[in-house]
Amino acid sequence: MTAADYNRCVDLYADSVYRFVLKSVRDVEQAKDIVQDTFEKVWVKAPDLDMERVKSYIFTTAYHTLIDSIRKHKPTADIEGLEENQPHINNGYSDLKQVLQLALAKLPAIQRSVVLLRDYEGYSYEEIGEITSLTESQVKVYIYRARLFLKSFIGKVDHLV
């Protein structure tokens, strides 16, 4: 990959990577740092990268950098405290975007990442597996569990409107 190819990759993928990371960490400065670290790692590996696989490499690197950052800033995730079957909505509240963000924040990091890659970024199960180093079956299970939790958290759509 040449410097021009690298610059084109930054132009094409920086916004998508930033959105993905920001949805996971919910901190603008931390997200910017992770994206910058990601593209620094890509720059170091640029001579060895194939342009046809660079998007997958960028998102894989961003995912691993994100996980490292999460581990560094938050040592453990407490999943025992989640009440799966209790909808947590406030009747009369209609800001769906905020409710979804709150629900996503309650998911474990791996489930949040695979849901964001699938539903926000549009990756296939196979691509998500490559990015996260999971099997396709594991990706499907994590997405299924995350969607079940989101469904129970949000409740019925009628309650939101």
Side-chain angles (χ1 to χ4, degrees), residues 26-161:
R26 296 172 313 279
D27 180 356
V28 173
E29 294 304 317
Q30 187 180 4
K32 287 179 183 178
D33 288 344
I34 292 170
V35 172
Q36 185 174 2
D37 290 346
T38 298
F39 280 101
E40 178 185 0
K41 291 174 184 177
V42 171
W43 176 252
V44 169
K45 292 283 189 179
D48 302 329
L49 295 177
D50 178 22
M51 279 303 292
E52 295 195 13
R53 306 266 312 156
V54 74
K55 181 179 180 184
S56 177
Y57 181 80
I58 289 171
F59 272 90
T60 300
T61 304
Y63 172 76
H64 289 294
T65 306
L66 169 68
I67 294 300
D68 290 344
S69 178
I70 289 172
R71 286 180 181 154
K72 181 178 171 184
H73 291 95
K74 187 166 99 177
T76 59
D78 180 24
I79 137 179
E80 298 297 323
L82 295 178
E83 297 176 24
E84 289 187 25
N85 296 324
Q86 298 292 327
H88 297 273
I89 60 169
N90 183 3
N91 288 338
Y93 188 73
S94 64
D95 190 0
L96 180 60
K97 182 178 178 182
Q98 191 172 7
V99 172
L100 282 173
Q101 288 175 345
L102 180 63
L104 283 170
K106 293 197 177 284
L107 287 172
I110 186 67
Q111 289 181 6
R112 181 173 47 247
S113 295
V114 294
V115 165
L116 291 173
L117 286 169
R118 177 71 177 167
D119 295 334
Y120 283 88
E121 299 299 329
Y123 280 100
S124 69
Y125 294 119
E126 182 180 340
E127 292 171 322
I128 295 169
E130 289 176 18
I131 290 171
T132 59
S133 302
L134 298 169
T135 65
E136 192 172 331
S137 298
Q138 288 172 314
V139 170
K140 289 179 181 179
V141 167
Y142 282 130
I143 289 174
Y144 175 76
R145 289 178 182 166
R147 287 179 178 165
L148 274 181
F149 173 77
L150 293 173
K151 182 179 176 182
S152 69
F153 183 88
I154 293 171
K156 297 188 184 232
V157 176
D158 298 342
H159 291 110
L160 295 172
V161 180

